[in-house]
Amino acid sequence: MPNSECAAPVVDDSHSASAIVAVEAAAGSHLLHVEGYSRTTGVPNGHSIKSRTFKIGGCSWRIWYYPNGGRTNFTDYISVFLTLDEIVAQPVKAQATFNLLDTAGRPVPSHIRTTSMNQYSTRGSGHGFDDFIKREFLEKSEYLQGDAIKIRCDVIISKEIHTEDRAAGPPFVVVPPSDMHKHFGDLLATEVGADVTFKVAGETFRAHRNILAARSCVFKAELLGEMRESTATGDCIQIDDMLAEVFKALLHFVYNDSLPEMEVQEEAVMAQHLLEAADMYDMPRLKLICEDKLCKHLEVSSVATSLALAEQHNCQGLKDACMEFLISSDTLDAVMLTDGFEHLTKSCPALVKELISKLAARLYKRRKLRA
């Protein structure tokens, strides 16, 4: 820790400097084409079909595809994992995004799942999702065509960051940080050039079609595409089932790429509503921001509601955080008395069974450790 006492000024003629250098991350994709899907359903639970080896970031990888789930609790699901397929001298950090593709090769928004930036250190080490696709959903959907499905795995290898010494003098030009968000925020505040009107819960909001379309493919379809005629009455679009303050916060994010300032308790409630809005308008960054905020605001009174929300909107990180909160603390009895838990049991009975299973596994593990 630097000494806090005052010292005489020192004149430095060395012009030395240090720089933090970030090496660009490696990235790539692999398409897994499962042909003859019906023939894979006979593969036992816990057994995988491995993709061919592919290279990203100088390392060899495979996708492990489990037609009947990777573990006993997930026999009704297709599980997918990205695995390292070689021995490495140093651990590798990678993030995987699994995308179920539609017949046109586009990702299905409800089945885009991204892992954390995880460490891969040994051959066969893998990270992914036990509950990537429920087979019943897939077999009734339009995504299973010609007895085949396609899953794309996008991989990002972590950046390497290090410090270098550099000889440098004072800069000739100082470039300020970007203030683009301020200019866009001013457009929203002043409504200059606004060309579309929304009516939400009795309040009216003016905005700009092109900006909304650039930020959300749903807005793009509604405002510039084929849906335009069906969503507008004159120049006004009516939005039902949303609070005015939620839509106002949504617009703030569209223009500023950040949430408006709020009190802590208000932030937690707003995050629940905004997560639903972000899912509705296909805004993944906003959805993740809300998911992160809800993870940080888990309480007895709200955890069951957040868990139901996570299940309904495919938020794996929030789901895991809620599950961990419930099975690792002594608050489950208190949570079960809340209205949120009653709603959870009615709306997501399979999720309650999963919770009970996880709790039983945790209790069994504790007893085994004590024995």
Side-chain angles (χ1 to χ4, degrees):
M1 180 177 178
N3 194 315
S4 61
E5 294 182 3
C6 295
V10 176
V11 177
D12 183 4
D13 291 326
S14 66
H15 297 293
S16 64
S18 62
I20 296 176
V21 180
V23 178
E24 286 298 321
S29 299
H30 183 75
L31 180 63
L32 182 66
H33 191 177
V34 181
E35 296 180 344
Y37 165 82
S38 59
R39 295 194 296 275
T40 69
T41 57
V43 176
N45 169 254
H47 291 254
S48 68
I49 301 172
K50 299 176 178 63
S51 75
R52 66 173 178 81
T53 302
F54 56 95
K55 286 273 191 180
I56 297 177
C59 295
S60 297
W61 307 89
R62 286 182 190 264
I63 297 171
W64 288 17
Y65 173 88
Y66 293 83
N68 287 286
R71 291 186 289 179
T72 54
N73 293 343
F74 298 92
T75 54
D76 295 332
Y77 289 86
I78 292 170
S79 304
V80 287
F81 292 84
L82 174 70
T83 59
L84 188 63
D85 197 50
E86 65 173 279
I87 298 171
V88 290
Q90 297 292 332
V92 179
K93 284 192 173 182
Q95 181 183 63
T97 298
F98 292 94
N99 309 266
L100 173 65
L101 303 183
D102 63 18
T103 53
R106 297 177 301 234
V108 178
S110 62
H111 284 77
I112 301 173
R113 302 285 294 277
T114 302
T115 69
S116 302
M117 186 65 74
N118 292 305
Q119 182 169 286
Y120 295 77
S121 55
T122 59
R123 173 178 279 167
S125 59
H127 297 276
F129 300 99
D130 285 304
D131 57 349
F132 180 60
I133 312 172
K134 195 161 189 176
R135 286 202 317 280
E136 182 182 7
F137 162 83
L138 178 65
E139 290 165 8
K140 292 179 179 178
S141 75
E142 63 190 36
Y143 311 122
L144 180 61
Q145 290 286 336
D147 202 29
I149 60 170
K150 293 180 181 179
I151 299 171
R152 193 184 73 216
C153 180
D154 302 325
V155 182
I156 298 176
I157 310 297
S158 175
K159 291 181 179 179
E160 176 191 350
I161 300 176
H162 61 275
T163 303
E164 292 180 356
D165 291 328
R166 289 185 179 176
F172 290 102
V173 177
V174 177
V175 180
S178 172
D179 60 353
M180 183 184 294
H181 65 284
K182 293 181 181 178
H183 298 292
F184 280 95
D186 288 344
L187 277 179
L188 178 63
T190 61
E191 299 183 358
V192 173
D195 58 357
V196 63
T197 303
F198 295 91
K199 196 155 191 177
V200 187
E203 291 192 33
T204 301
F205 299 89
R206 298 275 293 156
H208 305 78
R209 292 176 183 271
N210 288 335
I211 293 176
L212 295 175
R215 298 284 277 154
S216 160
C217 61
V218 176
F219 273 130
K220 185 177 181 180
E222 288 183 351
L223 300 174
L224 302 179
E226 295 177 357
M227 293 173 60
R228 179 173 178 173
E229 295 299 323
S230 63
T231 56
T233 304
D235 290 327
C236 184
I237 296 175
Q238 178 74 36
I239 295 182
D240 300 316
D241 302 323
M242 187 178 295
L243 299 172
E245 55 265 34
V246 175
F247 190 74
K248 184 178 180 180
L250 178 71
L251 285 181
H252 185 281
F253 180 83
V254 166
Y255 283 78
N256 295 275
D257 204 38
S258 64
L259 297 183
E261 292 187 8
M262 292 174 274
E263 298 293 332
V264 174
Q265 285 305 114
E266 182 188 6
E267 183 180 76
V269 175
M270 180 60 75
Q272 290 186 350
H273 292 297
L274 271 179
L275 190 148
E276 293 180 296
D279 202 25
M280 180 191 305
Y281 287 104
D282 193 17
M283 300 175 67
R285 174 173 156 75
L286 176 58
K287 187 176 174 182
L288 288 171
I289 289 173
C290 295
E291 193 176 349
D292 178 60
K293 288 189 179 298
L294 289 173
C295 286
K296 295 173 181 175
H297 287 94
L298 291 181
E299 298 174 351
V300 168
S301 60
S302 64
V303 65
T305 303
S306 293
L307 182 54
L309 198 66
E311 181 73 359
Q312 291 160 4
H313 296 281
N314 196 28
C315 301
Q316 188 62 37
L318 178 58
K319 178 181 176 180
D320 291 343
C322 291
M323 287 287 193
E324 188 62 27
F325 180 91
L326 289 168
I327 67 176
S328 64
S329 64
D330 299 322
T331 60
L332 183 56
D333 288 342
V335 173
M336 291 173 68
L337 297 174
T338 64
D339 292 338
F341 192 82
E342 184 177 351
H343 170 71
L344 181 69
T345 58
K346 293 177 180 178
S347 60
C348 308
L351 197 57
V352 176
K353 289 182 181 179
E354 185 181 341
L355 172 62
I356 293 170
S357 176
K358 286 180 179 289
L359 182 61
R362 179 67 62 92
L363 292 173
Y364 174 77
K365 188 176 180 180
R366 285 177 181 172
R367 290 195 197 100
K368 196 172 181 181
L369 288 173
R370 288 172 185 167

